[in-house]
Amino acid sequence: MSTLPNCPICQSSYTYEDRGLFVCPECGHEWSNDVSEEVSGLIVKDANGNILQDGDAVTVIKDLKVKGASGSIKQGTKVKNIRLVEGDHNIDCKVDGFGPMKLKSEFVKKL
């Protein structure tokens, strides 16, 4: 009996091989056994195309209006210790003077 890897998404042991790919019948995930092709985790890029990681520091590249606040986040504001999340606003952070905030990666650049 050959040993096939468990599914990296749901950890199912019922995987099978089909035309060079491993397939999980439980969640439908398909992946290659080639490690160089497989990219794990969330990939978020800033306005310049640099890859962001958890804990990075970024700078806001344009004034951002904040709903429910009297002011806006000004261009050049530095934000430290970001956290990447899934979704439209893919950066969780704390902005000085505003508190917890979600930002879009297209409006920041990596320091």
Side-chain angles (χ1 to χ4, degrees), residues 5-47:
N6 289 348
C7 176
I9 303 298
C10 68
Q11 300 303 319
S12 171
S13 61
Y14 299 113
T15 58
Y16 62 91
E17 191 171 5
D18 184 29
R19 289 178 263 160
L21 294 176
F22 294 109
V23 181
C24 175
E26 291 186 11
C27 70
H29 180 65
E30 297 180 354
W31 73 98
S32 171
N33 198 25
D34 187 11
V35 179
S36 64
E37 287 183 18
E38 192 169 329
V39 178
S40 62
L42 178 66
I43 297 178
V44 177
K45 295 184 179 183
D46 70 357

